[in-house]
């Protein structure tokens, strides 16, 4: 079974804090993704990575950065958290051309 | 225009009913198609892939119409446990996945 894990299920941070969300997959997938999911807006792609140290911007990269130093790990960084970044963050991995597998999500609240 | 569009519902159906969801996609170069299920406050999980010839998995049947660029999901004999949001997902290239906003289903006793 593919397993994608995320470092936290729930996180509360203050405005202006730097926030790290980590994702680890155990299936040697080359592709990893970070999404946020908001009611009525569906899943929106923040960044994805197709190889170690490679990254591509998604639809809403502003205010976020990512890091992929190892194949199994993909980190999302909020440089200076803002209240409009309160959301559910979902990490996914895949191997082309197959489906994505999602982690359990991190519900981030920025106060 | 959105890449993938779904009727958001909600669909409220009695147990045992048959319910169908449709989804349209805009990119004719789309290569792979999927239905995911997402329970409240949980992550999306793959329900089934959708193949050109159509495919069935128990009570679930998926169809693809490339000419009209739509995908459907049929659920027969609905169970209470089928209550969830169903996401239509399209893969355009190796890394480009597009998600519909989901269709909410509630199966009523």
């Amino acid at each position: 079974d593919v397993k994608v894990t995320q470092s936290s299920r729930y996180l509360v941070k203050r405005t202006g804090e730097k926030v790290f969300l980590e994702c680890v997959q155990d299936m040697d997938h080359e592709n990893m993704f970070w999404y946020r999911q908001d009611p009525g807006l569906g899943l929106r792609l923040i960044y994805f990575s197709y190889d170690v140290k490679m990254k591509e911007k998604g639809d809403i990269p502003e205010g976020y950065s990512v890091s992929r130093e190892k194949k199994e790990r993909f980190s999302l960084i909020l440089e200076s958290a803002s209240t409009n970044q309160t959301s559910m963050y979902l990490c996914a991995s895949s191997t082309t051309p197959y489906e994505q597998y999602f982690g359990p999500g991190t519900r981030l609240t920025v106060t | 225009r959105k890449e993938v569009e779904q009727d958001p519902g909600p669909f409220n159906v009695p147990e045992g009913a048959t319910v169908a969801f449709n989804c349209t996609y805009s990119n004719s170069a789309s290569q792979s198609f999927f239905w995911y299920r997402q329970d409240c406050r949980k992550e999306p999980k793959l329900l089934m892939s959708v193949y050109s010839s159509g495919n069935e998995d128990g009570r679930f049947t998926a169809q693809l119409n490339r000419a009209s660029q739509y995908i459907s999901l049929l659920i027969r004999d609905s169970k209470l446990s089928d209550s969830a949001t169903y996401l239509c997902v399209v893969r355009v290239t190796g890394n480009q996945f597009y998600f519909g906003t989901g269709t909410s289903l509630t199966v009523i006793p």
Side-chain angles (χ1 to χ4, degrees), chain B residues 20-68:
Chain B
F21 306 137
N22 290 324
C23 164
T24 57
Y25 61 94
S26 61
N27 193 326
S28 60
S30 297
Q31 298 176 359
S32 305
F33 308 88
F34 310 95
W35 283 102
Y36 277 70
R37 172 196 169 120
Q38 186 173 23
D39 293 295
C40 189
R41 302 176 81 83
K42 296 286 186 75
E43 74 273 25
K45 292 187 177 177
L46 181 69
L47 179 66
M48 57 198 301
S49 301
V50 187
Y51 302 119
S52 296
S53 54
N55 48 300
E56 192 173 300
D57 183 1
R59 298 181 292 107
F60 299 84
T61 301
Q63 298 274 357
L64 168 63
N65 185 320
R66 282 191 183 270
S68 302

Side-chain angles (χ1 to χ4, degrees), chain A residues 3-19:
Chain A
K3 196 165 184 186
V4 181
T5 57
Q6 294 183 227
S7 48
S8 306
R9 293 299 301 271
Y10 299 94
L11 210 50
V12 179
K13 295 291 182 181
R14 293 188 184 276
T15 301
E17 278 193 87
K18 192 167 187 176
V19 182

Side-chain angles (χ1 to χ4, degrees), chain A residues 31 33 35 37 48 50 96-100 102-104 107, chain B residues 32 34 36 38 41 43-44 46 87 91 94-95 97 99 101:
Chain A
N31 304 314
F33 308 79
Y35 294 91
Q37 186 174 30
F48 71 92
Y50 53 89
T96 307
Y98 301 106
E99 66 274 14
Q100 292 177 311
F102 285 86
R107 194 163 292 276
Chain B
S32 305
F34 310 95
Y36 277 70
Q38 186 173 23
R41 302 176 81 83
E43 74 273 25
L46 181 69
L87 302 173
R91 186 181 66 85
N95 297 313
F97 288 83
F99 290 77
T101 52

Side-chain angles (χ1 to χ4, degrees), chain A residues 74-91:
Chain A
F74 192 35
S75 301
L76 179 70
I77 303 140
L78 287 66
E79 297 291 342
S80 176
S82 63
T83 54
N84 63 12
Q85 293 178 309
T86 291
S87 186
M88 169 74 121
Y89 289 87
L90 288 158
C91 174

